[in-house]
């Protein structure tokens, strides 16, 4: 039986609600990530459209090359690095995992951490004012936008990228759950 996509609510200490989304590898020919889940921190960014403050936070926590825009309105992924999306304005529905993947609603203040290989696409049901800040962990090579099936080389690259070591929102040790890799093993809420 093929692995299924799962959206889990993680039991974390503190006020931040965390969704952990496990996506089936190669769903419809898309790579996704067989090891690392997509993470959504609901309401973790409280600075709205203060781009200067957000840029400082991201850079202090080791995330670079910030940009401000929408999520592309076509399925795509990155093979060399994690990507963080911080919702700075309005709301959107984003599909993860390819054409059969789950839709996740995000709104101002939500932080989305996308592992390499995970397909994402902003749906047309999104607010016209929707905006995100995007960024990538320091030390990763240039991040390419890829559409379509992954080559064997891209799959090998995806499998070699590890968990980020500094959370873009909370830094190295500031998250209520401890180190970033703890999010991989925390139990789900019942």
């Amino acid at each position: 039986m093929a692995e299924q996509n799962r959206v889990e609510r993680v039991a974390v200490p503190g006020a931040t609600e965390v969704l952990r989304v496990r996506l089936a590898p190669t769903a419809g020919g898309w790579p996704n990530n067989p090891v690392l889940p997509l993470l959504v921190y609901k309401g973790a960014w409280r600075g709205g459209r203060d781009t200067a403050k957000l840029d400082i936070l991201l850079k202090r926590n080791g995330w670079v090359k910030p940009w401000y825009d929408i999520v592309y309105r076509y399925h795509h992924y990155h093979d060399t690095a994690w990507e963080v999306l911080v919702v700075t304005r309005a709301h959107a529905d984003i599909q993860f995992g390819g054409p059969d993947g789950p839709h996740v609603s995000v709104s101002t203040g939500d932080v989305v951490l996308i592992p390499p290989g995970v397909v994402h696409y902003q749906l047309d049901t999104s607010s016209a004012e929707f905006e995100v800040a995007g960024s990538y962990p320091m030390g990763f090579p240039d991040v390419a936008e890829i559409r379509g099936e992954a080559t064997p080389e891209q799959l090998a690259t995806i499998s070699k990228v590890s968990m980020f070591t500094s959370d873009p929102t909370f830094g190295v040790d500031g998250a209520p759950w401890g180190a970033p890799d703890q999010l991989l093993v925390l139990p789900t809420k019942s």
Side-chain angles (χ1 to χ4, degrees):
M1 181 181 207
E3 184 179 338
Q4 298 295 309
N5 296 324
R6 292 189 329 261
V7 178
E8 308 165 331
R9 294 194 186 288
V10 180
V12 297
T16 302
E17 177 184 13
V18 176
L19 302 178
R20 183 172 53 205
V21 183
R22 298 194 184 272
L23 296 160
T26 63
W30 298 98
N32 291 317
N33 195 305
V35 177
L36 300 169
L38 170 84
L39 301 166
V40 181
Y41 307 163
K42 302 299 280 181
W45 167 248
R46 293 180 177 87
R49 293 207 68 234
D50 189 339
T51 58
K53 185 177 176 182
L54 183 54
D55 287 354
I56 290 168
L57 175 74
L58 290 169
K59 288 175 186 173
R60 182 180 67 222
N61 291 333
W63 291 70
V64 296
K65 302 179 185 176
W67 52 265
Y68 293 81
D69 204 346
I70 63 169
V71 177
Y72 291 131
R73 292 181 185 254
Y74 48 82
H75 292 95
H76 69 284
Y77 60 95
H78 313 286
D79 65 339
T80 58
W82 282 82
E83 179 178 32
V84 64
L85 302 176
V86 180
V87 182
T88 58
R89 184 172 56 191
H91 69 275
D93 293 319
I94 301 175
Q95 184 174 40
F96 293 100
D100 298 324
H103 299 188
V104 177
S105 293
V106 294
S107 58
T108 302
D110 290 352
V111 176
V112 182
L113 287 146
I114 305 170
V118 169
V119 180
H120 44 292
Y121 160 71
Q122 181 178 319
L123 299 169
D124 292 334
T125 56
S126 304
S127 165
E129 298 82 30
F130 179 69
E131 179 185 72
V132 296
S135 189
Y136 310 94
M138 188 180 312
F140 282 81
D142 287 337
V143 178
E145 165 208 326
I146 303 169
R147 302 186 210 185
E149 260 185 82
T151 65
E153 294 81 17
Q154 290 165 333
L155 289 172
T157 299
I158 290 166
S159 71
K160 291 177 187 167
V161 179
S162 60
M163 186 71 174
F164 51 89
T165 55
S166 179
D167 188 284
T169 310
F170 299 105
V172 176
D173 296 316
W177 47 83
D181 62 356
Q182 288 302 299
L183 284 171
L184 302 179
V185 297
L186 285 172
T188 58
K189 287 184 179 179
S190 32

